[in-house]
Amino acid sequence: MVLEFLAKNWVNLGLVIVGSFAMIIYGLQERKKRIEAASLIVLQIKEIQENLRMLSTYIRDNKLDFGAFYESLPLMTENYWKQYKHYFIKEIDQKSFSDIDLLYNFVSEIQEQQLLLKQLQKESFSLTQQMLINIEGQWMSSHLSTLQTINLMDFLNNKGTLESNISQLTHYMPEQIRISMEKFLKEYQMLEIIGSNGYRRLEKIAKRRF
């Protein structure tokens, strides 16, 4: 009876067995991906928090250390949370999930400020020099066209005034960057990521062997 059943249905049974093995393998592969994703996120969050701590030292007495900020490395090179958070929607609580989302949003905003400041500093020097050359040329031309004697001290005083005005103009955006940075850092400090239930859950997943 059994042999007869097997003889008639061996093809279907074979498909069921092969399909079952495929499902098991797929499940194990997905589990491994989830473990690796959790490990990457946990390590990145620790690195981000250390970098943010360092970044906060660049603001003192309402002044941003533009040199240190300019030379600082990006807070992250790849957003692992954005790539893998779909694995953990049902694994961690909603508050922790939202807080980690906010953390990565703050990091993205701060990196935009970094890129903006670097671009401004690259362009500031060439722009300032070009403006000075143009304005000095116009100033000298106006004096020559009216046959006025060019007084060296008057020329240098005007040049100094121009440089001061341009300097105030080019420092406006970095000041806005400082204000934005302080805002993001204060909001970040209100988050409690490491120690939250969601973060501890990610750590447990990351520690699984398989």
Side-chain angles (χ1 to χ4, degrees):
M1 190 86 173
V2 175
L3 293 176
E4 183 180 350
F5 174 81
L6 292 174
K8 290 181 179 180
N9 297 281
W10 67 271
V11 174
N12 292 332
L13 289 171
L15 291 174
V16 170
I17 293 170
V18 171
S20 299
F21 273 113
M23 290 296 294
I24 292 170
I25 292 170
Y26 174 78
L28 292 174
Q29 288 175 338
E30 287 299 299
R31 180 181 171 86
K32 183 180 180 182
K33 287 180 183 179
R34 190 175 289 105
I35 292 171
E36 290 174 349
S39 298
L40 289 172
I41 292 168
V42 166
L43 290 174
Q44 187 170 62
I45 288 176
K46 288 180 179 178
E47 183 179 348
I48 284 172
Q49 294 212 315
E50 177 59 27
N51 289 339
L52 285 172
R53 185 196 64 77
M54 181 64 66
L55 206 62
S56 65
T57 64
Y58 299 159
I59 301 176
R60 293 181 181 177
D61 300 323
N62 292 325
K63 292 182 180 179
L64 178 62
D65 186 338
F66 297 119
F69 189 52
Y70 177 82
E71 294 173 358
S72 62
L73 296 175
L75 293 174
M76 63 180 179
T77 55
E78 198 168 352
N79 191 330
Y80 292 129
W81 176 248
K82 184 177 181 179
Q83 289 183 40
Y84 303 120
K85 65 180 181 180
H86 60 278
Y87 284 134
F88 309 108
I89 292 175
K90 296 181 179 180
E91 293 277 356
I92 63 179
D93 62 280
Q94 185 176 355
K95 184 180 184 307
S96 297
F97 195 94
S98 297
D99 285 349
I100 296 173
D101 254 346
L102 279 175
L103 171 65
Y104 276 85
N105 288 340
F106 291 152
V107 170
S108 296
E109 293 287 351
I110 290 171
Q111 289 203 149
E112 284 186 13
Q113 300 300 316
Q114 282 180 305
L115 292 174
L116 177 60
L117 180 60
K118 289 183 179 185
Q119 187 64 29
L120 282 171
Q121 288 184 319
K122 286 178 181 179
E123 294 176 355
S124 176
F125 179 76
S126 59
L127 176 63
T128 301
Q129 291 303 310
Q130 188 60 48
M131 289 178 69
L132 283 172
I133 290 170
N134 292 339
I135 295 172
E136 286 171 3
Q138 293 174 7
W139 186 84
M140 294 186 70
S141 296
S142 66
H143 281 68
L144 290 172
S145 64
T146 57
L147 299 179
Q148 295 181 27
T149 302
I150 299 177
N151 185 289
L152 181 59
M153 290 304 298
D154 287 344
F155 174 76
L156 292 176
N157 287 336
N158 276 277
K159 181 180 179 182
T161 302
L162 290 171
E163 288 176 340
S164 176
N165 291 337
I166 293 172
S167 176
Q168 291 178 12
L169 174 65
T170 56
H171 276 77
Y172 172 74
M173 282 302 294
E175 179 64 15
Q176 292 303 110
I177 290 174
R178 179 191 66 78
I179 293 170
S180 297
M181 282 283 299
E182 286 185 330
K183 173 179 176 291
F184 294 137
L185 288 171
K186 285 178 181 177
E187 291 178 351
Y188 152 71
Q189 289 169 359
M190 295 175 66
L191 296 175
E192 186 180 350
I193 304 298
I194 294 180
S196 67
N197 292 331
Y199 183 82
R200 288 199 297 267
R201 178 63 178 162
L202 287 173
E203 282 188 314
K204 288 180 180 179
I205 296 172
K207 290 177 182 177
R208 291 174 182 170
R209 294 187 177 181
F210 198 73

